[in-house]
Amino acid sequence: MTSVRRIGIGLAAVGRPAYITAGRERDLGDARDVEALRERTWAVLDAAYAAGIRYVDAARSYGRAEEFLAGWLAARPDTADVEIGSKWGYRYVGDWRLDGVPMADSAGSVSGTHEVKDHSVEAFAEQSAESLALLGDRLAVYHVHSATLDTGALDDAALHRAMADLREHGIRVGISTSGPRQAEAVRRALDVTVDGEPLFTSFQSTWNILEPSVGPALAEAADAGARVIVKEAVANGRLAPGGATNSRDDRVANLADELGTSVDRLAFAAVLAEPWAGIVLSGAVDPAQVASNVAATGLKIPAEVEDELLDLAEPAEQYWAARSARAWA
C-alpha cells in the first residue's frame, strides 16, 4: 500500500469561485461567496489532515486560498507538521465573478479574465511579500507558477538572485509547469544555478494518464535530488466520475469499472505507481472527494491494465489545446 503522505491537497478549486475543473455546478452549486468557500476550504483541509495528508498547495492567483489556509493553520495549532507550498507569477483579477472581468487581449478582443501572468522580478518581490505576510514561517516551498521557456523566468539572473534569497532563508524554491513543452522547462530549470548550487529543487508538473509526456524529465529531476509534485492527476475532472469528454476518457472510466474502483482512484494510482512522483495533489472540493482520492493508495493496477492505459495518452499539443478551451465555471 502507498503511504497517504504521498498525497497532497491543492486549493485551486476552492480558493476562488470559478475554475476550469468539470462538475463545479454539481459540486459547489451557488454557494460560492467568500465565507462559503472559506468554510469549504476548511472542511477539505480538516478531512485531508484526518486522512493523514501533510502537504498543502496554494498560489497567489487562487483567489483567497492563502488567506483561507492561513486562517485554518491559526485555528488548528496541532497542524505544525503540515508542509505548505505556494506559487507566485499570476495575479488573481477575477473580482470574485464567475465570468471574470472584461480585459482586452493582444488582438484587442475582450473576454472574461480571471488571472494575469507576470514573471518579472518586480512581481516576485510583490507577491512573495504577500505570501510571507499571510503564511509567515509556515511557507516551506515557493514555485514560479507555470514557468515556460518564453516568460523569461528561467533566464532572468536578477530574478534567480532574488529567489535564491528565499532559499538562503530555508524556503525550497521551484517551478510549476504547464503546456506541451513542460519537459523542456523542467530540464532548463535543472540547469539554473546560483552561487554554484541548483536553484530549483522542486518541480510541480501536470502528469496524468492522458498527458504523460513530462514523465522522463521528472524522472531526471528526481534523480538529481529534486522533489517532484504532480498536479492535475484527474485532468481537471476528465478522469473524475461523470467528467468524461471523449472516448479516451470513457475507456479509462470503463477500465476503472472493470477493476471495481472509481476512475479518480485509478487515475491517482497510475501516478502513484511512478517512482519519481513524490507527492500527488488532490484538487478535492469536499471531504468525500478527499476520501476517494486517498483510497487510491490501496489500489494496485494489474500489468495488463497498465499496458492499456499507456495507449490512451493523447498527443501533448492536443491535450493542452483542449485544456485551454475549457470554460471557467
Side-chain angles (χ1 to χ4, degrees):
M1 179 178 291
T2 302
S3 171
V4 173
R5 295 297 180 96
R6 288 185 65 199
I7 303 267
I9 287 291
L11 303 182
V14 290
R16 54 195 168 184
Y19 191 46
I20 62 172
T21 303
R24 287 179 68 79
E25 183 176 345
R26 176 194 65 228
D27 294 339
L28 275 67
D30 295 328
R32 305 197 204 183
D33 59 82
V34 172
E35 290 310 312
L37 287 183
R38 188 193 311 276
E39 181 178 342
R40 180 177 289 274
T41 300
W42 284 33
V44 166
L45 291 171
D46 283 340
Y49 190 83
I53 292 171
R54 294 296 183 268
Y55 185 85
V56 180
D57 171 75
R60 287 304 305 148
S61 64
Y62 293 172
R64 297 196 178 190
E66 286 186 338
E67 174 192 327
F68 295 166
L69 174 56
W72 181 80
L73 291 169
R76 305 286 191 270
D78 58 342
T79 60
D81 56 342
V82 173
E83 184 180 15
I84 304 301
S86 195
K87 299 182 287 296
W88 73 275
Y90 278 90
R91 288 183 294 111
Y92 176 67
V93 297
D95 197 29
W96 220 257
R97 292 170 46 165
L98 290 179
D99 59 350
V101 297
M103 188 171 293
D105 61 19
S106 58
S109 61
V110 176
S111 60
T113 301
H114 297 268
E115 54 188 16
V116 174
K117 193 171 190 174
D118 184 352
H119 282 174
S120 67
V121 67
E122 293 81 11
F124 167 74
E126 176 184 352
Q127 293 201 306
S128 61
E130 292 167 342
S131 293
L132 288 167
L134 285 166
L135 299 170
D137 60 7
R138 296 302 303 271
L139 182 63
V141 187
Y142 209 47
H143 294 103
V144 183
H145 199 161
S146 294
T148 60
L149 300 176
D150 58 0
T151 66
L154 301 177
D155 302 299
D156 188 336
L159 173 61
H160 298 165
R161 172 58 62 183
M163 295 191 73
D165 186 59
L166 283 187
R167 181 186 68 185
E168 300 311 312
H169 286 82
I171 297 175
R172 183 190 289 262
V173 173
I175 68 168
S176 76
T177 66
S178 295
R181 301 178 69 189
Q182 289 187 104
E184 294 174 70
V186 169
R187 291 184 173 115
R188 174 70 187 91
L190 284 170
D191 288 337
V192 175
T193 62
V194 176
D195 296 331
E197 296 292 331
L199 176 62
F200 299 118
T201 59
S202 182
F203 293 85
Q204 184 183 117
S205 297
T206 294
W207 188 101
N208 56 56
I209 292 166
L210 304 172
E211 214 300 65
S213 64
V214 73
L218 293 179
E220 294 169 25
D223 287 344
R227 152 91 66 74
V228 172
I229 301 169
V230 175
K231 60 187 175 75
E232 301 181 2
V234 298
N236 300 113
R238 288 176 59 183
L239 301 178
T245 62
N246 61 30
S247 60
R248 292 176 192 262
D249 305 358
D250 286 332
R251 183 55 189 148
V252 180
N254 290 338
L255 285 169
D257 285 341
E258 293 168 14
L259 292 174
T261 190
S262 61
V263 64
D264 63 303
R265 293 175 194 173
L266 178 58
F268 264 81
V271 186
L272 292 168
E274 297 294 336
W276 43 259
I279 293 175
V280 184
L281 294 178
S282 164
V285 300
D286 59 43
Q289 290 182 4
V290 173
S292 185
N293 294 168
V294 167
T297 59
L299 177 63
K300 181 173 176 54
I301 304 175
E304 62 273 16
V305 175
E306 288 184 340
D307 290 341
E308 184 161 358
L309 291 175
L310 289 174
D311 293 333
L312 293 175
E314 295 177 346
E317 294 282 357
Q318 177 183 324
Y319 176 91
W320 288 100
R323 185 188 183 280
S324 296
R326 294 177 74 96
W328 288 67

